[in-house]
Amino acid sequence: MGSMNDRPAVVLLSGGLDSATALAIAKDRGYDAYALSFRYGQRHEIEIAAAERVAGALGVHRHVVADIDLRVFGGSALTSEVDVPHRGSLADLDEGIPVTYVPARNTVFLSFALAWAETLNSSDIFIGVNALDYSGYPDCRPEYIEAFRRMANLATKAGVEGRQSLTIHTPLISLTKAEIIRCGSALGVDYALTHSCYDPDSSGRPCQTCDSCLLRAKGFAEAGLVDPVLGDPPPGPPAVSSRPPAVSSGPPAVSSGTGEP
């Protein structure tokens, strides 16, 4: 069951920068957040501790960590012995989908979120996917989210009976990493609690050279802010604006026709 405000929403929470911001937005929009994280055999399992810190700091109704093991399939540098690529800069990024892509990961995660939403009598899922400053994963694109929404509304008892019309909220999908950081900062997200690195050392220190670390560093540098995890941004041109972006209460969300509350 939901809580007193009767606006439960499942929020996918990895412990990274984007998902922490998506959780803050869900809370700011008045949803009662049910955070869902996954221990899926990722080499950077330290992100689970970050998710727990973020959930505690922002306040959620319940935080569930689901155990699944995608290592049985492998196919990714995050779930196998394949090396995580390290680069000198984002200019060195390869074209195409990188080896850190985990096959069908967001489909698996959203399916779990859909199941939980149905038990909560909720029609709302938040996911922090981004299609601008990202690594090129196919399951972060708007057309993928829309396709999953259509499938989801055919897949559940609540949907077939007309009790659930799912909205997949993607408030970050068209924001740059700098805009995401400014938005989260304005909402009180403590990014010192988050973890982004794909290949941390044994003590959890970020490598600073994987794709995720480089994208995070770029975002903080362009936002004109100091990353509390990675430190000062490298020298470069000043950020265009330090104002947080407007995150509307309408789209981007993928729904069956109802606007975002």
Side-chain angles (χ1 to χ4, degrees):
M1 293 181 62
S3 71
M4 294 289 291
N5 67 9
D6 201 31
R7 296 190 73 201
V10 177
V11 182
L12 291 173
L13 181 65
S14 69
L17 184 157
D18 293 341
S19 68
T21 307
L23 173 57
I25 291 171
K27 294 273 295 180
D28 185 63
R29 292 180 181 174
Y31 288 95
D32 188 19
Y34 289 72
L36 178 57
S37 305
F38 294 90
R39 187 180 290 107
Y40 62 93
Q42 66 269 49
R43 68 167 65 215
H44 56 308
E45 191 174 310
I46 188 174
E47 70 178 2
I48 298 298
E52 291 171 345
R53 292 193 298 268
V54 170
L58 291 178
V60 299
H61 187 85
R62 186 182 176 194
H63 181 207
V64 168
V65 179
D67 286 289
I68 54 178
D69 189 2
L70 297 183
R71 289 176 299 180
V72 299
F73 306 127
S76 169
L78 302 188
T79 56
S80 72
E81 299 307 312
V82 175
D83 290 337
V84 170
H86 293 272
R87 314 174 196 280
S89 72
L90 287 174
D92 299 328
L93 285 179
D94 298 328
E95 292 186 3
I97 299 169
V99 296
T100 51
Y101 162 71
V102 178
R105 180 175 59 181
N106 280 347
T107 303
V108 173
F109 290 178
L110 281 169
S111 296
F112 272 69
L114 174 62
W116 198 12
E118 185 174 18
T119 69
L120 294 170
N121 295 317
S122 170
S123 293
D124 298 281
I125 294 172
F126 280 78
I127 182 171
V129 292
N130 176 256
L132 291 183
D133 286 337
Y134 79 129
S135 296
Y137 299 153
D139 52 4
C140 290
R141 298 171 301 154
E143 54 266 42
Y144 163 76
I145 297 294
E146 167 59 20
F148 187 93
R149 181 202 64 80
R150 292 198 307 269
M151 180 280 298
N153 282 318
L154 298 172
T156 64
K157 178 182 178 183
V160 170
E161 293 178 348
R163 294 183 290 106
Q164 182 187 57
S165 181
L166 189 72
T167 297
I168 302 177
H169 303 258
T170 58
L172 314 181
I173 202 161
S174 60
L175 299 182
T176 67
K177 193 69 76 176
E179 289 171 334
I180 292 168
I181 291 165
R182 288 198 292 265
C183 171
S185 297
L187 293 174
V189 176
D190 181 358
Y191 288 117
L193 304 178
T194 65
H195 178 89
S196 300
C197 181
Y198 289 152
D199 198 19
D201 67 16
S202 58
S203 67
R205 287 190 298 255
C207 69
Q208 303 198 44
T209 54
C210 69
D211 295 359
S212 187
C213 281
L214 292 172
L215 286 166
R216 179 178 175 126
K218 173 179 179 284
F220 274 97
E222 292 180 350
L225 299 172
V226 175
D227 185 344
V229 174
L230 298 180
D232 291 320
V240 174
S241 171
S242 61
R243 294 177 299 172
V247 179
S248 85
S249 60
V254 181
S255 72
S256 60
T258 57
E260 188 138 332

